[in-house]
Amino acid sequence: MNTFDKNPVQFPFHVLPIGLQQVIQRVHAETQAPLPLIASSLLGAMSLSCQDLFDVEPKEKMRYPISLYQMILAESGERKSTVDRLLMSGIRELEAEWEIEHQDHVSNNKTDISVWEVQYHALRKKLQQDIKKGEDPEKTIKALIECSNAKPKEPVRKRVVINDITTAAIKKMLGTGWPSLGLYSDEAGSILFGELLSDSALLNSLWNGSSIEVDRASTEVFKIEDARLSC
């Protein structure tokens, strides 16, 4: 959406619910930013907020993510960053809360891992003793397998907004971490001149909500499934 022409008639505000129109007008009164810029930024924030909860189904058996890919062209001084801070403040606050929770989970996980390691090594030692004494190791082997399967997993770090990131890192985050992200920036140079836009297969697959198999010799094998990405 090009905001160089500040004529709001060119943006279809009338199709938006009254509540959203009021939000746009309120932000405009506070920032004096172009109305189309505010409207597009608002839709982007809304998409990011609920893309992991809802899909759209225009016809039976035609179901798609509600993630949005947007690019807003605006002149310097049109308060892109100000609008971004206002509309994304709730998401940023949620991320801050998640980060505090994550640090607590990391701390607790270290304790859980320490306890697990003691149990695991004790069972391995018991298995060695069983074999050495010629005793039936079946019970110990079963306990060892159960203990191995119960190894505490590293807590997933929840993030919503990313900006300076490689394509490989996005794939890993969506496939092994939090499966709903937004690549958002009020200065698009790092994105436009980065490697992500050259990976059209990844962007198209995420746009459709398709599964992606990631199999590289230098990395672990994993699958991106039911993930969402807004840009």
Side-chain angles (χ1 to χ4, degrees):
M1 172 61 62
N2 191 327
T3 67
F4 294 161
D5 187 341
K6 297 182 175 60
N7 182 1
V9 177
Q10 294 189 5
F11 193 95
F13 293 99
H14 63 282
V15 303
L16 297 176
I18 296 298
L20 294 187
Q21 294 183 41
Q22 292 174 342
V23 171
I24 294 168
Q25 293 291 348
R26 193 175 308 143
V27 174
H28 174 67
E30 185 170 342
T31 65
Q32 298 304 304
L35 292 171
L37 186 155
I38 299 170
S40 300
S41 297
L42 176 60
L43 292 175
M46 291 174 60
S47 166
L48 180 59
S49 298
C50 57
Q51 65 179 2
D52 59 331
L53 299 175
F54 302 101
D55 289 333
V56 62
E57 193 173 27
K59 293 183 179 181
E60 188 177 355
K61 297 183 180 180
M62 292 179 63
R63 187 168 181 170
Y64 305 105
I66 59 172
S67 306
L68 296 180
Y69 289 0
Q70 296 188 99
M71 182 183 297
I72 303 172
L73 304 180
E75 294 176 339
S76 178
E78 289 196 314
R79 298 179 175 82
K80 300 184 300 293
S81 299
T82 303
V83 171
D84 176 74
R85 282 195 297 270
L86 281 172
L87 296 177
M88 298 288 286
S89 61
I91 293 175
R92 304 284 184 182
E93 290 171 4
L94 178 62
E95 279 194 316
E97 293 175 7
W98 279 352
E99 185 60 26
I100 294 173
E101 292 177 1
H102 177 69
Q103 294 305 321
D104 289 339
H105 293 160
V106 168
S107 179
N108 294 336
N109 189 66
K110 288 180 180 179
T111 302
D112 294 340
I113 286 290
S114 297
V115 173
W116 177 85
E117 287 177 343
V118 172
Q119 296 172 333
Y120 183 76
H121 290 302
L123 286 170
R124 289 191 61 180
K125 187 174 182 180
K126 176 71 166 55
L127 179 60
Q128 291 174 342
Q129 292 174 346
D130 289 349
I131 295 174
K132 188 175 181 179
K133 294 178 182 179
E135 298 178 356
D136 185 359
E138 182 177 352
K139 186 175 180 180
T140 305
I141 291 174
K142 183 179 179 180
L144 185 60
I145 292 173
E146 291 177 353
C147 182
S148 180
N149 292 336
K151 181 178 180 179
K153 296 181 180 179
E154 294 223 0
V156 173
R157 183 185 180 192
K158 298 179 183 178
R159 292 182 61 188
V160 181
V161 180
I162 54 177
N163 40 60
D164 186 9
I165 191 170
T166 64
T167 303
I170 290 179
K171 290 179 179 179
K172 186 168 184 179
M173 289 179 69
L174 290 174
T176 64
W178 194 243
S180 177
L181 298 172
L183 184 63
Y184 278 45
S185 175
D186 56 3
E187 297 294 340
S190 60
I191 298 174
L192 294 177
F193 299 107
E195 60 178 42
L196 177 63
L197 293 188
S198 64
D199 194 345
S200 58
L202 172 65
L203 293 174
N204 289 339
S205 295
L206 292 173
W207 175 261
N208 293 328
S210 303
S211 299
I212 304 171
E213 296 278 355
V214 180
D215 189 0
R216 299 287 186 274
S218 59
T219 61
E220 60 181 310
V221 177
F222 57 88
K223 187 174 184 178
I224 301 174
E225 195 167 19
D226 200 29
R228 299 291 182 265
L229 178 70
S230 288
C231 297

